[in-house]
Every structure is written in structure tokens, then in C-alpha cells.
Amino acid sequence: MTDQPRLLSPRRLEAFSDGVFAIAATLLVLDLSVDHLGSISNNDQLWHALGAISESVLSFVISFLLLCMLWMVHTRQFEYVKRVDDPVLWLNSLRLLGVVLIPFTTSVNADFSELLLGRLVLPLNFLWVLLFDWALWRYVTTSPRGLLGDMSDDEVRASSRRALGAVVTGLVVVLLAPFIGSWAFLAFAVVPPLDAAIRGRRRRRR
């Protein structure tokens, strides 16, 4: 009889993941530098130079906030994950592969926003991470190996719905980005109030 792969504590996975998120968030700001402003001698020139890098600043702010959102999703998930196995380790690693690429795709988005591919790389990068967020949560909640801690069926369904909703929103962002660029990420601002409205309606029906 073959040995079953043993289950592990998630503590080292969480520590590694937190480190990756922290480094990715820090690297985002490296694209913003006073060297890009050129020679400045008065306020008008400074305002003009700051306006010239506004696309880079917008991409930085959006990417930082969304990266924080992804970290919060990861934190909430692993508040309930009590054990991990090899598939969880691989799914999380593939998610982090997308996370470490965010500083690069943010730079591409800022520097080549006039090109279709330039507008798409960042949304596609976020969609990659969201897909593996959902896949990991789906695996953990359906695994017969008891990876999940105390969580009611209603809570599991609600969390799974939010993870899938984030993927759908990511697809919407990819579809909108060719037309409105980074502003497409505002679609994520719609998700929390929409989810709250859906939950409120379901409570009233009960």
C-alpha cells in the first residue's frame, strides 16, 4: 500500500506568501522617481512634469490597492485553512507567480498604455491571480482530507461565491481595459456593495 502524502501546517506557506506580497508592493513604487521629472526650476514646470507621469502614478495606486485586496483575500482564506497538502502548495505558488509579476505588468501598463497589449497585460495578470485564488479555495473547500477548519456551509458558499465573483469581475476588467485602460479596475469597487446587497436580500427572504 502506498503512503498518503502527509498534511502540513500552513504557517510557512503564510509566511512565504506574506513576504512575496510585501516585496511586490514595495517594488511597485520603484517606478516612481524624481529622475523622470527632468529639470525643474519653477512651480509651473513641476506641475507639468507631474502631469506627464500621471499615468504611472495612477497605475501605481491602482496596482497597490488591488495588491492589498489580493493579500486580504489570501489572509481571510488561510484564517480557515488548518492543513495544507501538495496541491495547495502548488496552487498557492502559481498564485504568487502572478503576484510577483504585478510590478512588471504595472510598468508595462504605464509605459505602453497607448497600445492594446499594454492596456491588457495588467488586467490579465490580475485575472491570473484571481483564478488561482478561486481554484485554491475551491480545492480546499471540496477536499475530503479535512483541510478546512470550522466553517459553516453557508459561510463556505458565501466565500466561494465571492471568489467566483472576483474572477467574473476580473474578466469584465479585461474586456473593458482596451477601451478605458486602467479605469476598468474601478469595476472591483462595485463588488463589495453588490455582494452586501445580495446577502441582505437573502436574509430578508429568510
Side-chain angles (χ1 to χ4, degrees), residues 39-108:
S39 178
I40 304 293
S41 59
N42 57 57
N43 287 329
D44 288 341
Q45 289 178 348
L46 180 57
W47 278 114
H48 185 270
L50 289 172
I53 65 167
S54 60
E55 193 70 34
S56 295
V57 174
L58 176 63
S59 293
F60 161 74
V61 171
I62 290 173
S63 293
F64 182 81
L65 292 176
L66 290 175
L67 195 58
C68 289
M69 181 194 77
L70 295 174
W71 174 78
M72 286 186 277
V73 169
H74 190 280
T75 301
R76 291 190 188 103
Q77 286 181 346
F78 278 86
E79 186 68 21
Y80 296 99
V81 177
K82 301 306 179 186
R83 294 288 185 270
V84 298
D85 56 9
D86 287 348
V88 172
L89 295 177
W90 277 109
L91 287 168
N92 191 68
S93 296
L94 289 169
R95 165 162 55 184
L96 295 180
L97 173 61
V99 170
V100 297
L101 283 173
I102 287 174
F104 170 70
T105 54
T106 299
S107 297
V108 173

Side-chain angles (χ1 to χ4, degrees), residues 55 106-120:
E55 193 70 34
T106 299
S107 297
V108 173
N109 179 262
D111 294 342
F112 300 99
S113 59
E114 72 280 3
L115 301 176
L116 176 61
L117 184 57
R119 293 192 294 272
L120 280 176

Side-chain angles (χ1 to χ4, degrees), residues 80 137 141 148-160 206:
Y80 296 99
W137 188 243
T141 55
L148 201 63
D150 294 332
M151 200 174 184
S152 70
D153 291 342
D154 285 344
E155 289 174 325
V156 170
R157 283 192 293 270
S159 296
S160 298
R206 292 176 184 175

